Amino acid sequence: MAAAVLVGGALIGTVATSGAAQAATTGPCDIYASGGTPCVAAHSTTRALYGSYNGPLYQVIRSSDNTTRDIGLLSAGGYANAATQDSFCAGTTCLISVIYDQSGRGNNLTRGPAGGYVPTPDNLANATAAPTTVGGHEAYGVYIAPGTGYRDDSTSGIATGDQPEGIYAVVDGTHYNNGCCFDYGNAETTNNDDGNGTMEALYFGNASYWSTGSGTGPWIMADMENGLFSGTNVGSNSDPTINNRYTTAIIKGTANQWAIRGGNAQSGGLSTFFSGARPTGYNPMHKEGAILLGIGGDNSNGGAGTFYEGVMTSGYPSDATENAVQANITAAGYTTSSGGTATGAVHAVGAGKCLDVTGVSTTPGTQVQIWGCNGQANQTWTHTTSNQFTVTIGGTTLCLDAYNNQTTAGTKVETWSCTGGANQQWTLNSNGTITGVQSGLCLDVSGASTADGAAVELWTCNGQNNQQWTLS
């Protein structure tokens, strides 16, 4: 789509667990194949989508030396071996350079090239910006900030013309914006707007330029080029707002018929939000068969979202098949925390940097800041069962502290000797914020700065991305 921003991240506690969920013996693509609509593209950075798959999930490139490393699985049919990424990327920044196609067709996603709307290549996603837990294991999603995008213009097996297909994705329902367009699916091979019906992609967000659903969004809609559609007609339709932390989103289409389905990727089944005829001017379709993620068909790259897994099928899947896939997704065990005490870096989502004790200081009263992530002790925090954040530097353990028990916006956040007071207790919220128990205010990067050394303070919660944090 042509381009016409609330960014969220979830708080992650990653800890070692015993009796972690075992890898599924059947993946979503095995289920689709049994239903007669096999996967022709299967992308995930968190787990295998076939029970027998044992290849790489994605590739990262590190900024320190431009070396790449494939990130594979803990076992065949299992979960991502995120420890490989953690080790390879320690002390530097890594970007996701390739998302491999598990279907065997070679439909791999790489950096989106220049297009008709944005005439320069897209950015690559920060490899650590979307930590998650799946099946009790640490993993990372694909964090799409505006300007980020992936594409494959030379594909195999993807629907063209009016051929039927199905698309699903698991996304972060709290990370979205109204920019165009956080898409996953079928697009033009030319990287230009080639007219009505030349796309059929799943869109997630609250853009309201063409159509909307009910409420304020976000909505699952279809990008069919020159329009995001929530029903047969342009405009407002009954397609509901859906914003589960982990959301299953589905679009499927065949001759003069298409549907929107969705549900909570952690529990429950799917609902059908729309099923009916194509919009006027979109029958027949003229799909071209490229695949994109995070961008529109003409490289409009103003969208935002987080992608964990998704597939494209040959053929129009039945509701029963999709229901079985949903059951597989919920059984996979996506969660923002594996419970208990969590230790790791606290990532400032909006800046792509880490919560840092200034100057590696052990002096109580040192204001905390953000700084490029380096894995050092002054960036390693433990969120305890008593809701404290502690940091240990050179044998000295300090607590994250709201200065002088103050509860007003602009209060300095510092390190201090641990007292157990309410001004040293912090709540990790499912919407990605960290709030002070005493004040109810949000941990905030001052002025929404992205610069090294930007101060961290308390501020009224406002839903902006400088108040979004992840712990991994």
Side-chain angles (χ1 to χ4, degrees), residues 10 12 17 35 38 81 86 167 187-188 216 264 312 348 388 398 446 462:
I12 311 301
T17 59
N81 188 352
D86 292 340
I167 305 165
E188 299 95 334
T216 59
N264 186 338
M312 301 174 66
Q388 294 176 311
L398 299 166
S446 180
N462 55 31

Side-chain angles (χ1 to χ4, degrees), residues 237-323:
N237 293 288
S238 60
D239 183 19
T241 290
I242 181 169
N243 56 4
N244 300 299
R245 172 59 181 82
Y246 296 94
T247 295
T248 304
I250 292 176
I251 293 289
K252 56 182 175 180
T254 187
N256 202 27
Q257 165 66 36
W258 69 286
I260 304 172
R261 306 189 78 205
N264 186 338
Q266 292 181 287
S267 64
L270 295 171
S271 297
T272 299
F273 299 152
F274 170 80
S275 180
R278 296 283 190 183
T280 301
Y282 291 81
N283 178 41
M285 295 285 283
H286 307 285
K287 292 174 278 192
E288 296 186 14
I291 306 172
L292 46 68
L293 171 63
I295 53 177
D298 59 359
N299 198 36
S300 46
N301 60 9
T306 297
F307 172 92
Y308 299 105
E309 63 178 74
V311 311
M312 301 174 66
T313 71
S314 174
Y316 189 84
S318 69
D319 287 359
T321 296
E322 291 168 342
N323 294 343

Side-chain angles (χ1 to χ4, degrees), residues 273-424:
F273 299 152
F274 170 80
S275 180
R278 296 283 190 183
T280 301
Y282 291 81
N283 178 41
M285 295 285 283
H286 307 285
K287 292 174 278 192
E288 296 186 14
I291 306 172
L292 46 68
L293 171 63
I295 53 177
D298 59 359
N299 198 36
S300 46
N301 60 9
T306 297
F307 172 92
Y308 299 105
E309 63 178 74
V311 311
M312 301 174 66
T313 71
S314 174
Y316 189 84
S318 69
D319 287 359
T321 296
E322 291 168 342
N323 294 343
V325 169
Q326 167 70 356
N328 181 276
I329 292 168
T330 60
Y334 279 100
T335 180
T336 57
S337 174
S338 54
T341 299
T343 299
V346 179
H347 297 266
V349 170
K353 297 185 176 179
C354 282
L355 186 68
D356 177 285
V357 180
T358 304
V360 201
S361 176
T362 58
T363 302
T366 300
Q367 184 163 14
V368 294
Q369 61 181 9
I370 58 168
W371 199 268
C373 299
N374 55 35
Q376 302 305 306
N378 66 317
Q379 294 185 354
T380 302
W381 300 86
T382 296
H383 188 252
T384 71
T385 54
S386 57
N387 289 325
Q388 294 176 311
F389 271 109
T390 64
V391 61
T392 301
I393 303 171
T396 299
T397 298
L398 299 166
C399 275
L400 194 68
D401 177 285
Y403 172 72
N404 201 29
N405 289 284
Q406 292 182 10
T407 58
T408 57
T411 295
K412 178 174 78 169
V413 176
E414 61 185 5
T415 55
W416 197 263
S417 302
C418 297
T419 66
N423 68 316
Q424 293 185 353

Side-chain angles (χ1 to χ4, degrees), residues 29 33 73 105 108 118 169 218 234 250 265 268 273 276 305 313 343 361 374 443 446 450 453:
C29 286
L73 295 159
R105 291 180 172 271
N108 303 325
V118 177
V234 172
I250 292 176
F273 299 152
T313 71
T343 299
S361 176
N374 55 35
L443 196 67
S446 180
T450 61

Side-chain angles (χ1 to χ4, degrees), residues 26-72:
T26 300
C29 286
D30 301 311
I31 296 169
Y32 277 116
S34 296
T37 52
C39 294
V40 288
H43 303 107
S44 176
T45 56
T46 62
R47 67 173 183 138
L49 301 178
Y50 293 83
S52 62
Y53 185 75
N54 200 24
L57 296 179
Y58 62 105
Q59 180 191 88
V60 295
I61 183 169
R62 62 186 179 193
S63 61
S64 58
D65 59 5
N66 288 326
T67 302
T68 61
R69 178 66 55 87
D70 284 348
I71 309 301

